[in-house]
Amino acid sequence: AQSVTQLDSQVPVFEEAPVELRCNYSSSVSVYLFWYVQYPNQGLQLLLKYLSGSTLVKGINGFEAEFNKSQTSFHLRKPSVHISDTAEYFCAVSEIRNTGNQFYFGTGTSLTVIP
Amino acid sequence: EADIYQTPRYLVIGTGKKITLECSQTMGHDKMYWYQQDPGMELHLIHYSYGVNSTEKGDLSSESTVSRIRTEHFPLTLESARPSHTSQYLCASSEGTGGWETQYFGPGTRLLVL
């Protein structure tokens, strides 16, 4: 079975500073990768996804992520964070099975932007 | 923006009560999912459906049941709520197949069983 590891459970960062949220996955087979954001008292919202092609993926709100197959990583980055980026961020992996895709989620990283 | 709705958003209920968490989507998606989310934990898949009259249990064992009589509706029922059922429940639906499949989530139902 797939496992998704988000190494940092909490990341505090000052406003306008850059941030990187780390994600590693275990599977050696072809997978598809996602980052979701969850604001307080809301559901998960898709930030970006990697399916194929360029390893650098751009998403909403100025976020981007880079797929590194050799390191089985999919780290999320933003060059300058805003207060409004304070939220929980989840990395997810989709593994294709005969019966359909199976999604696996990491435990989440809580990003706190400090004014 | 995804159109997927969950009601109630918050529910406090006593042990032994029967409850139904509602989930509806207006996007015509065939696939729908229920996840359980606890603080600091990954999302756990408890039920999923690939279409009308199709329901399957997920990886995490759950005492809840689901039904899928209509494409847009995927309710989750607990016949007798217990404190161990306290959690946040997220409903999702998805479009596409293979690598193009993307899940869209509802706002969640936060359940507290006393």
Side-chain angles (χ1 to χ4, degrees), chain A residues 2-33:
Chain A
Q2 183 68 244
S3 72
V4 181
T5 303
Q6 290 183 244
L7 297 169
D8 307 302
S9 59
Q10 296 185 2
V11 174
V13 62
F14 285 105
E15 190 175 16
E16 297 184 4
V19 70
E20 178 180 83
L21 307 183
R22 296 180 291 171
C23 174
N24 288 86
Y25 62 95
S26 64
S27 176
S28 60
V29 301
S30 294
V31 294
Y32 306 101
L33 302 157

Side-chain angles (χ1 to χ4, degrees), chain A:
Chain A
Q2 183 68 244
S3 72
V4 181
T5 303
Q6 290 183 244
L7 297 169
D8 307 302
S9 59
Q10 296 185 2
V11 174
V13 62
F14 285 105
E15 190 175 16
E16 297 184 4
V19 70
E20 178 180 83
L21 307 183
R22 296 180 291 171
C23 174
N24 288 86
Y25 62 95
S26 64
S27 176
S28 60
V29 301
S30 294
V31 294
Y32 306 101
L33 302 157
F34 305 79
W35 273 100
Y36 286 85
V37 58
Q38 185 179 33
Y39 297 105
N41 301 315
Q42 295 187 26
L44 275 67
Q45 178 183 353
L46 182 67
L47 264 183
L48 50 79
K49 59 185 176 182
Y50 171 79
L51 304 178
S52 64
S54 172
T55 56
L56 185 63
V57 181
K58 293 189 183 297
I60 62 171
N61 301 341
F63 283 93
E64 62 182 30
E66 185 158 19
F67 169 59
N68 188 319
K69 187 175 181 179
S70 62
Q71 297 185 6
T72 59
S73 68
F74 191 54
H75 301 333
L76 181 71
R77 302 187 185 99
K78 185 169 182 177
S80 176
V81 294
H82 301 139
I83 296 292
S84 59
D85 292 325
T86 293
E88 191 87 13
Y89 291 80
F90 290 90
C91 181
V93 171
S94 169
E95 191 176 82
I96 296 179
R97 297 180 178 178
N98 291 336
T99 52
N101 288 14
Q102 175 73 51
F103 285 83
Y104 299 88
F105 288 83
T107 53
T109 297
S110 178
L111 174 65
T112 301
V113 180
I114 304 164

Side-chain angles (χ1 to χ4, degrees), chain B residues 19-99:
Chain B
I19 58 172
T20 296
L21 308 185
E22 301 288 349
C23 176
S24 296
Q25 51 96 4
T26 58
M27 298 170 284
H29 292 168
D30 286 327
K31 298 178 184 177
M32 295 189 74
Y33 309 80
W34 276 103
Y35 289 90
Q36 189 170 333
Q37 181 186 26
D38 294 305
M41 305 287 287
E42 63 266 37
L43 274 68
H44 288 293
L45 180 66
I46 52 175
H47 296 283
Y48 61 97
S49 166
Y50 285 163
V52 172
N53 294 325
S54 151
T55 60
E56 301 287 344
K57 287 188 178 295
D59 294 334
L60 181 67
S61 174
S62 174
E63 295 165 340
S64 58
T65 59
V66 292
S67 62
R68 190 86 184 276
I69 300 173
R70 303 197 314 266
T71 298
E72 62 271 22
H73 196 212
F74 191 41
L76 181 145
T77 299
L78 278 165
E79 291 293 332
S80 179
R82 295 209 301 269
S84 60
H85 296 139
T86 294
S87 187
Q88 172 153 261
Y89 294 85
L90 294 175
C91 180
S93 69
S94 68
E95 63 177 357
T97 57

